[in-house]
Amino acid sequence: MHNYYYTFNNYYQKSLEVNEINQIANNSIRVKEINRELIQQALKAMKQGTKSIISQATGLSIATCGNVLNELLETGEVIETELEQSSDGRPARRFVYNADFSYIACIYAKTGDGLLSLTYAVANSVGERVDGGYMEVMRVLDAAAIDHLVGTLIERYDQIKAVGIGIPGFVHQRVINICDIKELIHVPLKAQLREKIRN
């Protein structure tokens, strides 16, 4: 009995340690994501900044800002511009958020007065409109028509990383279940578009 208790207790202690390690790992990943988001938002708001200025704006250490900025430089999300003269004589590196790093396409499907149409807008990472338009759909406004427009926009702007679709209806469990455009009812539009954006 003593041996069984010891084995169980040992196993229990080890599983607690593994659980704590997993929680610490998950927490550190989350903290890193939060730090990254803080720096992204700060740079978007201030247009440009040095590590020191970004550190002051976010409350993060200069070292943390430097590490995150180096990662963002590698992906192209942040661009390094000309050096800024500092008070101690040593020029400071200046960073700018790359507004063209990623785009979002927003599409709205509409029906009314016997007309079917798609209205779209493409915006950059700081919310500036890059493109937009309106097109009447002649025959059928279905998933294929939306898919075609998304494909056309992605060909034009390969920075598109997200697509938002508005429909005159409701979506339940990722499937359109009520819609004024009958060809879109029961269509898992989100799953279809996700494949398009991945490719």
Side-chain angles (χ1 to χ4, degrees), residues 170 175-188:
F170 298 97
V175 176
I176 300 168
N177 58 6
I178 298 173
C179 189
D180 293 348
I181 303 168
K182 65 181 189 334
E183 289 80 9
L184 294 177
I185 297 174
H186 304 301
V187 174

Side-chain angles (χ1 to χ4, degrees), residues 83-108:
L83 297 174
E84 181 176 282
Q85 292 301 322
S86 63
S87 56
D88 65 0
R90 186 174 169 197
R93 294 166 68 194
R94 193 181 314 185
F95 303 92
V96 176
Y97 190 82
N98 180 2
D100 294 321
F101 176 72
S102 65
Y103 288 174
I104 182 171
C106 303
I107 299 169
Y108 182 69

Side-chain angles (χ1 to χ4, degrees), residues 49-179:
T50 62
K51 279 190 263 188
S52 176
I53 292 169
I54 295 165
S55 171
Q56 290 170 12
T58 60
L60 300 172
S61 71
I62 291 176
T64 298
C65 290
N67 290 336
V68 173
L69 286 166
N70 286 336
E71 290 173 12
L72 295 173
L73 277 168
E74 281 182 33
T75 63
E77 192 168 356
V78 166
I79 301 166
E80 189 173 349
T81 63
E82 72 279 355
L83 297 174
E84 181 176 282
Q85 292 301 322
S86 63
S87 56
D88 65 0
R90 186 174 169 197
R93 294 166 68 194
R94 193 181 314 185
F95 303 92
V96 176
Y97 190 82
N98 180 2
D100 294 321
F101 176 72
S102 65
Y103 288 174
I104 182 171
C106 303
I107 299 169
Y108 182 69
K110 185 178 177 186
T111 182
D113 300 325
L115 291 174
L116 298 168
S117 65
L118 291 170
T119 303
Y120 68 90
V122 177
N124 66 17
S125 297
V126 295
E128 298 165 339
R129 188 173 166 155
V130 175
D131 193 1
Y134 168 89
M135 57 186 276
E136 286 184 13
V137 179
M138 293 304 159
R139 293 187 209 115
V140 179
L141 202 170
D142 57 4
I146 294 171
D147 187 69
H148 178 73
L149 177 57
V150 170
T152 301
L153 292 174
I154 289 174
E155 277 180 32
R156 201 177 303 163
Y157 305 104
D158 65 349
Q159 304 100 312
I160 292 176
K161 304 278 193 294
V163 176
I165 305 287
I167 56 152
F170 298 97
V171 175
H172 180 67
Q173 295 181 344
R174 301 180 182 172
V175 176
I176 300 168
N177 58 6
I178 298 173
C179 189

